[in-house]
Amino acid sequence: MPLTCQSLLQAHPAPWDSATTHPFLAGCQSGTLHPAQFNTWLVQDFLFVKDFTRMVGRVLGAAPDDHIDGLLAGLGALKDELLWFEAKAAERSLNLSTSPQLTCQRYCEFMASLAARPYSVQATALWAIEYAYNQGWQLPGPMPEPYTEFADRWGNPGFTDYVHLLAAQADAALAIASPEVQAQAEAAFLQVADLEANFWQMAFTAAEAAQ
């Protein structure tokens, strides 16, 4: 049977749980997260999203014709998201002209490396990245202020629909991929899960190092 996004989730529940359930998100939901920890994450996530936007552009370049519209919609949303990040950083007096933490740098290097992979691998990684954000901000439940709009941005039904579209596109590509390429897609999924878990954790370790 061909590999699918759903079969990846079923085969690897523990890594995926680590990617989408973390004390950082629980702290947002409970209101106990230290502001410095959230600010660390916010700045690094802005740097991440800039490179993620470049990744989506590369995926678009490799995509079949019938996948272009959905990817273009995603790129349009990312333009708005980068402007939104800049506004949130300004509200918090944060400097976005900073260097990426090692965890962020590794994630960005991974995304750049996907350009050399087949489209089905790129599509699987794109779905996994977006789904991790979607689930991470949905699973804790309603978020109190000042985190409500962050949860709404990535946990809203429209974004969930977009993630489902990405899953369908990845599944279609995986259905015609060779076993070797499917193995690459599975490895990419697991690497996304590991990088996501480390990215949440970075908010604690980097903030502590800065104190």
Side-chain angles (χ1 to χ4, degrees):
M1 293 181 63
L3 194 70
T4 67
C5 294
Q6 187 60 38
S7 70
L8 285 170
L9 295 171
Q10 292 172 345
H12 305 289
W16 190 249
D17 182 68
S18 296
T20 56
T21 305
H22 191 274
F24 174 89
L25 294 159
C28 290
Q29 201 278 332
S30 65
T32 59
L33 190 72
H34 194 283
Q37 295 167 337
F38 188 81
N39 289 342
T40 294
W41 173 84
L42 185 65
V43 170
Q44 294 298 309
D45 204 47
F46 170 76
L47 300 176
F48 164 84
V49 171
K50 285 200 297 183
D51 272 28
F52 177 67
T53 302
R54 296 183 178 98
M55 173 193 153
V56 178
R58 291 189 292 267
V59 176
L60 177 64
D65 289 351
D66 58 340
H67 290 188
I68 289 176
D69 282 351
L71 294 171
L72 281 174
L75 275 174
L78 284 168
K79 177 183 177 181
D80 293 338
E81 186 163 299
L82 286 169
L83 293 173
W84 176 80
F85 267 110
E86 291 174 356
K88 295 301 107 181
E91 289 175 6
R92 294 167 173 262
S93 300
L94 301 176
N95 178 21
L96 294 176
S97 299
T98 187
S99 299
Q101 299 283 344
L102 181 59
T103 298
C104 181
Q105 181 180 329
R106 286 173 175 165
Y107 209 153
C108 292
E109 289 171 352
F110 164 72
M111 290 190 293
S113 75
L114 290 169
R117 300 295 185 179
Y119 172 70
S120 55
V121 178
Q122 297 183 49
T124 300
L126 174 58
W127 157 76
I129 292 169
E130 294 285 46
Y131 193 41
Y133 268 64
N134 181 243
Q135 289 293 281
W137 288 101
Q138 270 187 4
L139 291 175
M143 292 278 187
E145 296 294 349
Y147 308 117
T148 307
E149 65 177 307
F150 294 87
D152 289 347
R153 172 164 286 273
W154 293 294
N156 72 78
F159 188 66
T160 301
D161 290 342
Y162 173 64
V163 171
H164 290 332
L165 171 65
L166 293 178
Q169 293 186 169
D171 286 350
L174 289 167
I176 57 174
S178 68
E180 292 77 15
V181 171
Q182 289 188 20
Q184 290 180 35
E186 185 168 18
F189 169 82
L190 288 170
Q191 192 157 0
V192 168
D194 182 62
L195 287 163
E196 286 289 337
N198 290 336
F199 207 95
W200 299 124
Q201 185 62 31
M202 175 188 59
F204 294 98
T205 54
E208 290 167 358
Q211 293 177 359

